[in-house]
Amino acid sequence: MYACEAYPNAFCPGMGRHRADLTKPLGRLATSPGDDGVTYGEAAGNLIFIEYIVGQPELAAGASWPAMPLDGVPIPPIDNVHVLHYGSPGTTTGRPTVHMYFIPENTYLGWTTEPPQL
C-alpha cells in the first residue's frame, strides 16, 4: 500500500482501497509484463479500478502502453478515467497516475467511509 498515504492499509475516501504487490515495480513501464506496476482498487470486496503510475518523461513523449494482460484478472468495462499528478506544489516534477474506474464517478466520489456491498 503506498497510495492515499494519510490512510495506510485503510479505506481512502472518494477512491477506495489501493492494493499492489510491492515486490514488483511500482511504475508501469511500456515494456512491463503481466500486472507489473498495476495497483488494484477495491471497495466493499469488489474490484472498482486499476491504476497505472507512469513516468512523466514517457507520458510527455507520448509513449504507448500495450494491452495489459493482468494475469487473468477479468476487467469490467471502464466507466471513467482520472489522470492525476502527484508532486510538490509549484513544481512540474512528480508522478502521473491513471485511475481507470469500473463504476460511475458519482458513486465513489461521495464515499467518506467504506461503502456497503456494491
Side-chain angles (χ1 to χ4, degrees):
M1 203 331 250
Y2 60 91
C4 247
E5 288 88 356
Y7 302 92
N9 300 314
F11 183 80
C12 182
M15 292 183 99
R17 191 172 288 102
H18 291 68
R19 301 199 184 275
D21 181 349
L22 298 180
T23 65
K24 296 182 178 186
L26 291 180
R28 180 72 182 178
L29 303 174
T31 57
S32 293
D35 66 349
D36 281 2
V38 177
T39 298
Y40 295 91
E42 172 264 322
N46 292 287
L47 180 65
I48 60 166
F49 70 82
I50 56 174
E51 174 186 0
Y52 280 6
I53 297 173
V54 297
Q56 190 161 321
E58 293 84 4
L59 188 62
S64 292
W65 284 264
M68 182 174 36
L70 295 177
D71 292 339
V73 174
I75 297 300
I78 295 171
D79 183 274
N80 60 88
V81 175
H82 286 194
V83 179
L84 306 170
H85 181 265
Y86 292 95
S88 300
T91 68
T92 58
T93 60
R95 64 181 199 249
T97 68
V98 182
H99 289 76
M100 293 157 270
Y101 279 90
F102 311 125
I103 61 175
E105 183 178 58
N106 62 353
T107 300
Y108 59 85
L109 286 181
W111 291 338
T112 57
T113 61
E114 179 84 19
Q117 287 295 86
L118 302 172

